[in-house]
Amino acid sequence: MYNPTVARLTYRALLGRRRALILFILPGLLLVTAISVRLLTGADDQTTADLLGGFALGTMVPLIGVIAGTGAIGPEIDDGSIVYLLAKPVKRPVIICTKLLVAVGVTIVFSAVPTLIAGLVLGGNSQNLAVAYALSAAVASVAYSAVFLLLGTVTRHAVVAGLVYALVWESLFGSLVAGARTLSVQQWALALGGKVADGGLVTSDVGLPAAVVLLAVVTAGATWYAGQKLRGLTIAGEE
């Protein structure tokens, strides 16, 4: 379920000059903020939890997921170059799985790793907060990548749709409406991070068993459906 050639082309598309610059902005802002907060206020667990939960997991991870997930396939569909890839003797599910793995890897590197570093800068992993939020960011990266990769296959406005989900549903409704939080990737990921952190600073509205099931179902379902849509695109092209 992995093709090195497809992976290389996807990495090249995601890490081109313009897109790579965008990917570096949010992690860079997080690290600068973490350093500034530590210098100004010193180590404080509540501040660490607020910054990592609010900015890193609540904003940075989904936005990077949008960039990586939609960028892994959306531009190829938009400009028609996907036809050349589909003409190769590579199974469509392999293409999707390879692009998903690349998107997940890029999202983790640009979100989970900076989250861990920022947590260490802020509090030196006090109460395991840095590891807990990094784990949550990594888990969320997988689900976000799958969802946004699917959006890239079903709509030409994948970036807009992804931003609406990330900023409106996750950030706005997820913070204001209790019921919406149960259908939030962020909350599912926090359920896993909460089992690692001490002190009760990392909490979720979703229980751990339900969160694991929902993460698995959403990731697998989005990946499968993206493969079906890509297969349908091939059929349409052949006809």
Side-chain angles (χ1 to χ4, degrees), residues 127 197-203:
Q127 300 193 64
D198 301 322
L201 288 176
V202 182
T203 60

Side-chain angles (χ1 to χ4, degrees), residues 19-34:
R19 197 173 295 272
L21 178 62
I22 298 174
L23 286 171
F24 274 107
I25 290 176
L26 287 173
L29 181 60
L30 172 64
L31 295 177
V32 169
T33 303

Side-chain angles (χ1 to χ4, degrees), residues 31-44 47 121-122:
L31 295 177
V32 169
T33 303
I35 294 171
S36 300
V37 169
R38 179 60 189 268
L39 292 175
L40 292 174
T41 65
D44 180 77
T47 301
V121 169
L122 285 166

Side-chain angles (χ1 to χ4, degrees), residues 137-162:
V139 171
S141 296
V142 178
Y144 282 133
S145 296
V147 170
F148 296 135
L149 180 65
L150 171 61
L151 286 178
T153 65
V154 300
T155 176
R156 291 181 177 273
H157 306 289
V159 174
V160 175

Side-chain angles (χ1 to χ4, degrees), residues 22 31 55 60 72 82 90 114 121-122 139-140 161 163 168 182 216 219 222 227 238:
I22 298 174
L31 295 177
F55 179 71
M60 182 182 73
I82 190 69
V90 182
V121 169
L122 285 166
V139 171
L163 289 175
V168 177
T182 61
T219 302
E238 291 174 349

